[in-house]
Amino acid sequence: MTVEVLYFAWLRERIGHPRETVQTEAATPRALIAELVAQSDGHAAAFGDIAALRCAVDQQLTDLDAPLAGAREVAFFPPMTGG
């Protein structure tokens, strides 16, 4: 499947770009991260501590073990605070 992967904040800085289109066989965001880490040192640095990550699939917040079947977009970002 082809999926658009979006990176925000320090993930974008470590990877070096805000988005990329990837071909993946991953069934979950966690499996997608494993594929991405193998791509470059920047990806490995960005995903070095996945406990510090949040994820959205097709603009819906989800956990890293949610299914990706049929997803068009996956976004990774640090935890958010608001006020």
Side-chain angles (χ1 to χ4, degrees), residues 28-30 55 57 60-67:
T28 65
R30 187 179 307 275
C55 175
V57 175
Q60 296 293 316
L61 289 175
T62 189
D63 64 54
L64 295 177
D65 295 312

Side-chain angles (χ1 to χ4, degrees), residues 4-24:
E4 188 78 9
V5 182
L6 308 177
Y7 306 108
F8 294 93
W10 48 263
L11 289 119
R12 177 182 58 233
E13 293 169 8
R14 292 177 186 169
I15 292 170
H17 47 271
R19 65 178 357 146
E20 62 185 319
T21 303
V22 298
Q23 286 283 68
T24 182

Side-chain angles (χ1 to χ4, degrees), residues 32-50:
L32 177 60
I33 289 170
E35 290 179 5
L36 294 169
V37 164
Q39 286 188 6
S40 74
D41 291 340
H43 286 85
F47 293 110
D49 180 12
I50 62 172

